[in-house]
Amino acid sequence: MTDLFKNIFLRYRLNKRLKILESQSKEKIKSFSSMLILTSNNEIDEKVFFSLAESLKISSKRITLLIISDKKFSKSKARFRKIIYCSREKVGLLGKFDSEMLSFFDQKFDLLINYFSNSTIFPELVSACCSSKLRLGFYQVNHKINDIILNINLDDKQTFLDESKNYLKALLK
């Protein structure tokens, strides 16, 4: 029963955040200096993101990984220097995030990659709350949270890397 109420409030907050995103004007992007990867999968191919970052001249120190999961994996295994975990437990009954997540949402990123392909309320809300100049994601999720939408399979990493590089480099010209 609690999850039902929480989902109602999360849906309300998501719709509110989407209206804010729609009203924001987009500025011209000359370069990328920071990247946020939002995923609900603990096992991602780091090489793909480091290759993308290298092609966009983003320092590996300026890459943040935000994992939506209850399970944590060893940071010693990961090459990402900054890993944030977010779960539904960090959200109160009325759909408000805890102070740790609210302070994270204040950080600004140049590029946000929504690396998930299931259209569910919670990852979409987390994405909508993040501050980013440009958002890249997949066709299967809410189109309002992404500026660039790739209609490819999430598991096709090479196509994701190639298409992302093409679109993002074209924006920089």
Side-chain angles (χ1 to χ4, degrees):
M1 187 69 154
T2 313
D3 282 344
L4 175 67
F5 285 120
K6 195 182 263 189
N7 281 340
I8 291 169
F9 285 110
L10 290 176
R11 174 68 61 194
Y12 170 76
R13 293 210 182 272
L14 174 61
N15 289 333
K16 198 172 167 182
R17 290 297 307 170
L18 291 175
K19 286 180 184 175
I20 292 170
L21 283 177
E22 286 176 357
S23 66
Q24 290 177 342
S25 63
K26 294 292 178 186
E27 57 188 74
K28 184 170 170 66
I29 299 171
K30 296 177 180 149
S31 67
F32 295 108
S33 63
S34 61
M35 179 167 66
L36 171 63
I37 304 152
L38 194 154
T39 185
S40 57
N41 185 356
N42 276 346
E43 297 179 21
I44 61 169
D45 188 353
E46 295 175 346
K47 291 181 268 182
V48 171
F49 296 106
F50 283 105
S51 177
L52 178 61
E54 184 180 316
S55 71
L56 297 171
K57 298 181 177 132
I58 299 173
S59 167
S60 61
K61 296 175 186 174
R62 305 270 298 149
I63 302 172
T64 302
L65 178 64
L66 174 59
I67 300 174
I68 298 175
S69 175
D70 295 328
K71 300 176 186 174
K72 293 186 178 185
F73 66 95
S74 172
K75 289 187 179 188
S76 62
K77 291 181 182 177
R79 288 178 42 204
F80 295 102
R81 292 193 178 190
K82 189 166 186 183
I83 301 174
I84 308 292
Y85 292 94
C86 183
S87 68
R88 290 178 69 106
E89 293 173 359
K90 294 196 177 213
V91 179
L93 180 62
L94 300 177
K96 292 187 179 182
F97 285 93
D98 68 8
S99 59
E100 178 187 2
M101 287 308 298
L102 290 174
S103 67
F104 175 76
F105 292 146
D106 287 338
Q107 295 179 39
K108 303 210 183 306
F109 295 92
D110 291 332
L111 176 61
L112 167 58
I113 298 177
N114 289 309
Y115 200 73
F116 56 92
S117 61
N118 295 331
S119 184
T120 53
I121 296 169
F122 191 64
E124 291 176 358
L125 175 62
V126 172
S127 174
C129 290
C130 292
S131 179
S132 174
K133 291 180 185 177
L134 186 69
R135 299 160 177 272
L136 182 139
F138 293 88
Y139 185 79
Q140 296 86 345
V141 297
N142 190 333
H143 292 202
K144 293 179 181 180
I145 65 169
N146 294 312
D147 301 311
I148 299 173
I149 300 168
L150 301 176
N151 190 6
I152 60 175
N153 187 330
L154 183 74
D155 296 325
D156 190 352
K157 294 168 179 56
Q158 189 59 48
T159 303
F160 166 76
L161 182 60
D162 294 341
E163 292 298 313
S164 298
K165 284 180 183 179
N166 289 339
Y167 282 109
L168 295 171
K169 284 184 176 182
L171 283 173
L172 296 177
K173 293 183 179 181

